[in-house]
Amino acid sequence: MKVLLLCASCLLALGACRGDTPASVFGGSDQIWTLKTLNGQVFPATATLTIPKTGEINGRAPCNRYFGALTGTYPAFNAGPIGSTKMACPNMRAENAYLDALGSATTATVSNNTLTLTNGSGLEMVFTNDG
């Protein structure tokens, strides 16, 4: 049984190298990524990202829940269109910054408990999973 599990893990790793984008690369629905920094600055509110299955994202921005499509092959990261609930709150500036940054990310890197999203224009979003 251990050999079979090892082989399945190897296949998942090879899939990631080939450019497949299984949700398992991002931890699937069990993995909740929490934004720690945006462009080198500590993010002033709580924002999360989950990739529940291939082709989907969702989570909580500082004020609202959001959802959207995820296209591209790993390490490409193309989220959108992104929809959200529409409640106002004192953190709307942080909410808009988060959703705008998430929508402009083009590359993902997953290493241990860190997910980094970047683009060619200097964006850097660093998420961690502490669970």
Side-chain angles (χ1 to χ4, degrees), residues 55-71:
E56 293 182 8
I57 62 167
N58 64 44
R60 182 165 266 310
C63 301
N64 293 284
R65 297 206 54 74
Y66 69 90
F67 48 89
L70 179 62
T71 59

Side-chain angles (χ1 to χ4, degrees), residues 6-16 18:
L6 178 59
C7 290
S9 297
C10 292
L11 290 174
L12 285 175
L14 289 173
R18 275 197 330 264

Side-chain angles (χ1 to χ4, degrees), residues 77-99:
F77 186 95
N78 300 302
I82 298 172
S84 71
T85 56
K86 300 292 181 188
M87 297 187 311
C89 80
N91 286 329
M92 288 308 294
R93 179 175 284 159
E95 169 123 343
N96 292 333
Y98 174 72
L99 292 175

